[in-house]
Amino acid sequence: MSRIVRRWALGSAIALVGAFGTACSSDADVGLPAGGEPTAGGEPSGVAPTVAATPSPGGGSNADVTAMSFSFEPSDISVGRSEELLIVNTDATVDHTFTIEGEGVDEIIPAGGEVTITPDLPTGTYTVICRFHVDQGMEATLEVG
């Protein structure tokens, strides 16, 4: 094989690997929020977070709240005092939190995971945020009655 052909083949192989590697590793593929920061981080809230268990069979069809695509559904949540609330993260690659700052509620819901909480809060209205994605507008209102 001539030297020119070998150089062309090597250059083509490097270009192909470079293009393939770039296509497979963009921030969009791994669900990173704007700014490229990892989703399992965020500013400390002063509460030691807990991590949800692996999801139960059924894919979270019985969820009271769904964390997905940088939003909570529904965005207006109602729960009675001492009533359980099931939160399911339907995102396959992005962690979320269910946080009420200053109230001792700070749950990490890993990608594909779920958590059941019982908000021990006085009757009232609270703002729920995802600490990791609050900059993307991930918040909801929780009415405890």
Side-chain angles (χ1 to χ4, degrees), residues 83-128:
E83 188 175 287
E84 287 187 343
L85 191 61
L86 176 64
I87 305 140
V88 175
N89 182 353
T90 60
D91 286 328
T93 60
V94 180
D95 296 340
H96 294 295
T97 72
F98 189 89
T99 304
I100 303 173
E101 294 182 316
E103 298 297 335
V105 177
D106 191 22
E107 300 287 334
I108 295 174
I109 307 111
E114 64 183 40
V115 65
T116 300
I117 66 167
T118 306
D120 186 21
L121 300 168
T123 300
T125 303
Y126 301 88
T127 299
V128 176

Side-chain angles (χ1 to χ4, degrees), residues 29-55:
D29 291 337
V30 295
L32 294 178
E37 295 299 319
T39 59
E43 292 299 316
S45 64
V47 176
T50 56
V51 177
T54 56

